[in-house]
Amino acid sequence: MEGNIFQPYLHAESIFRENRDVLRPSYIPDSLPHRERQINQLASVLATALRGAAPSNVMIFGKTGTGKTAVVKYVGHEFRRADIEDRVEYFYINCEIVDTPYGVFQNVGNRFIQDFDERIPFTGLSTERVYNLLRRKIDDAARVVVIALDEIDKLVYKSGDDVLYHLTKINDDLHQAKVSLIGISNDLKFTEFLDPRVKSRLSDEKMVFPPYNAKELGDILEQRAQLAFDPGVIEEGVIPLIAALAAQEHGDARRALDLLRVSGELADRKGRNHITEVMVQRAKNKLELDLVIEAVRSLPTHSKLILLGIILQQEVGIAKLTTGEVYDTYSQLCRRAGLGPLTQRRVTDLISELDMLGLINAKVKSFGRGGRTKEIQSSVSAPDVKRILNRDEVLRELRSYRPKVQTTLI
DNA sequence: TGTCCACTGGAAGGGAGGGCTT
DNA sequence: AAGCCCTCCCTTCCAGTGGACA
């Protein structure tokens, strides 16, 4: 053991108490400060269903980090604690992960199937059949089924409102069971895309979660800090600072907790036993960079090539590019890398994706006779991104590549 | 006022990859 | 083994468009 590389870490003191997960967004504490009203409202809607009345569906709106998911999961925990499992089945699906009709039906259905051999396979059956299977299983279970669909707008955006159409009218086909839906979305306008019937059924009840203000964020941080750290670890001024930073970003509690957690981790790594305001600033930078690194790293090869093309152009002094220019550079890079380039139509979509990820800035702009196209700019630090891209096998070959500088004659 | 550029972004569809059913 | 089904990633085709310029 002597001289072992892990030796120094084995006895290192951590400023965290045993469980730092209390600072992760997935952790649901015993109480949710400043969301009592929403919890009660949701509980009262669902309680109606418990008494055997027709269950209302609920739509919950609110920006990221306003506690939507936490409230919905919290109420789910309370159901479980209330010991009414013979009457209520409550579950939660994140539609960003499960984003197809088949996937939703399969997911819900499988919760009612204990026997492994009978489980609905992840592919192979027709969607219609999976729906029928699901309906039978729910009815057999003969209880109130509450299905929470988080990021429901992603599901509708990707697969249309077919799933919701089925799920909102499933009660007509059930004899012993009842289904109630909770839809969670950060996009207030998404219901405009729904079939009017689905729309009215889905939002029997509507709740809007306001952003937290700095004081409320402070309370939330205070609550979690007490769970995560010993008293006195956090210097005065740290929590107000984090609360203020997060309040600037539309009152995002998730971000506030991330900042606190990462600040703690930075303090740990430096072997300090206090969290200071300086560490919060560092944590802020680290979080921002980590986000970019992760986004770039997990990009598909062709998207990486597009991004690399944009960055290289920028390095030779061309800041603003059109789709055509990006496509040209991208095609050259593809050839260098020995890959067949995708069509320009496909690249347009990939550019839009990069824009949505915040890695580039793409605005549609008309140049009159010069045509109508996107004006594209990278919005991340070029050296950072290049370093990450260089780790990719395919792209490493292109390290020496320099784009041709357009010799525009004036 | 109309023209025309360089795309944009919707629609349809192909085919590969997964897997079930008969 | 043949026939289906669903999803993902692309391609092909194309009508539509904001605004500088003639």
Side-chain angles (χ1 to χ4, degrees):
Chain A
M1 205 53 207
E2 212 168 310
N4 184 290
I5 52 166
F6 295 110
Q7 192 71 43
Y9 300 95
L10 286 175
H11 302 288
E13 290 279 321
S14 171
I15 62 169
F16 287 97
R17 296 210 192 150
E18 69 278 18
N19 187 5
R20 75 180 64 181
D21 289 345
V22 300
L23 295 180
R24 296 208 180 266
S26 53
Y27 177 82
I28 308 294
D30 293 335
S31 71
L32 296 174
H34 304 290
R35 283 294 173 259
E36 295 82 4
R37 200 173 56 75
Q38 285 80 0
I39 290 171
N40 287 333
Q41 193 182 345
L42 185 59
S44 74
V45 172
L46 298 177
T48 321
L50 271 183
R51 289 195 289 273
S56 294
N57 297 323
V58 187
M59 267 309 305
I60 298 178
F61 295 102
K63 296 216 169 106
T64 37
T66 50
K68 304 180 300 289
T69 305
V71 164
V72 167
K73 286 191 166 172
Y74 180 86
V75 172
H77 285 186
E78 290 299 296
F79 262 117
R80 239 155 270 145
R81 287 205 329 169
D83 199 23
I84 42 175
E85 272 157 355
D86 53 333
R87 284 193 284 159
V88 189
E89 198 79 40
Y90 190 94
F91 48 82
Y92 169 91
I93 293 179
N94 187 336
C95 300
E96 191 161 26
I97 299 160
V98 183
D99 60 358
T100 62
Y102 188 100
V104 171
F105 293 151
Q106 185 231 4
N107 239 271
V108 178
N110 274 340
R111 311 258 177 138
F112 289 93
I113 301 174
Q114 267 78 50
D115 192 340
F116 190 80
D117 295 333
E118 282 182 34
R119 302 202 111 208
I120 304 171
F122 76 91
T123 176
L125 304 179
S126 72
T127 310
E128 197 58 31
R129 233 183 111 181
V130 177
Y131 171 74
N132 287 325
L133 217 61
L134 152 85
R135 190 174 44 93
R136 254 207 337 272
K137 287 293 174 187
I138 288 183
D139 216 13
D140 287 350
R143 51 190 78 164
V144 175
V145 179
V146 180
I147 305 173
L149 297 170
D150 205 347
E151 316 231 19
I152 194 171
D153 46 319
K154 302 266 164 55
L155 178 66
V156 174
Y157 172 69
K158 260 210 71 182
S159 320
D161 55 7
D162 258 24
V163 204
L164 299 182
Y165 180 79
H166 275 97
L167 285 179
T168 48
K169 80 176 203 19
I170 193 171
N171 282 328
D172 303 345
D173 301 329
L174 294 174
H175 305 292
Q176 319 182 56
K178 287 193 165 78
V179 170
S180 170
L181 295 180
I182 301 176
I184 306 171
S185 164
N186 50 29
D187 180 6
L188 259 163
K189 284 178 296 176
F190 103 97
T191 52
E192 285 168 21
F193 304 107
L194 297 175
D195 180 306
R197 284 167 299 175
V198 176
K199 185 180 170 180
S200 75
R201 271 191 299 228
L202 189 62
S203 28
D204 296 331
E205 303 271 346
K206 213 173 187 180
M207 298 169 64
V208 178
F209 283 35
Y212 295 109
N213 61 36
K215 178 176 175 309
E216 292 167 338
L217 288 168
D219 292 342
I220 293 169
L221 288 164
E222 205 66 69
Q223 178 208 33
R224 301 287 183 98
Q226 277 177 23
L227 295 168
F229 304 107
D230 285 324
V233 165
I234 301 177
E235 285 191 356
E236 207 175 316
V238 164
I239 286 186
L241 174 61
I242 296 177
L245 286 173
Q248 281 169 17
E249 306 215 6
H250 60 259
D252 187 340
R254 186 180 310 180
R255 201 166 150 68
L257 293 169
D258 279 344
L259 272 172
L260 183 56
R261 193 191 74 244
V262 174
S263 303
E265 285 169 1
L266 287 177
D268 250 9
R269 211 167 300 167
K270 297 239 175 213
R272 306 283 169 75
N273 47 14
H274 284 92
I275 298 177
T276 64
E277 291 183 35
V278 178
M279 288 173 188
V280 175
Q281 292 295 355
R282 294 224 184 95
K284 181 169 176 269
N285 295 339
K286 180 175 183 320
L287 269 171
E288 277 158 16
L289 184 60
D290 283 357
L291 231 54
V292 172
I293 290 175
E294 189 43 40
V296 173
R297 213 177 48 80
S298 55
L299 245 30
T301 304
H302 285 281
S303 297
K304 282 182 181 165
L305 285 167
I306 294 168
L307 182 59
L308 181 63
I310 295 169
I311 287 175
L312 290 175
Q313 296 262 69
Q314 214 158 40
E315 281 186 345
V316 295
I318 313 164
K320 293 180 176 176
L321 302 157
T322 65
T323 301
E325 286 161 351
V326 170
Y327 187 71
D328 283 346
T329 321
Y330 156 80
S331 305
Q332 289 172 35
L333 286 172
C334 276
R335 251 169 265 129
R336 289 277 292 232
L339 291 168
L342 301 172
T343 56
Q344 183 159 331
R345 178 66 186 86
R346 179 67 187 138
V347 170
T348 306
D349 281 345
L350 295 181
I351 287 174
S352 299
E353 277 173 31
L354 289 174
D355 183 32
M356 286 213 295
L357 285 169
L359 297 175
I360 63 171
N361 231 307
K363 275 200 309 270
V364 178
K365 193 174 168 186
S366 178
F367 295 88
R369 279 246 156 138
R372 191 168 163 271
T373 177
K374 282 196 178 107
E375 192 178 69
I376 301 160
Q377 258 177 301
S378 136
S379 55
V380 284
S381 125
D384 284 338
V385 172
K386 267 181 86 176
R387 217 176 35 243
I388 308 158
L389 291 176
N390 274 335
R391 286 188 214 146
D392 190 294
E393 291 289 322
V394 183
L395 276 71
R396 204 171 296 177
E397 309 287 318
L398 305 170
R399 230 183 293 194
S400 59
Y401 181 79
R402 289 284 166 276
K404 275 178 246 154
V405 182
Q406 305 278 336
T407 44
T408 21
L409 300 172
I410 310 161

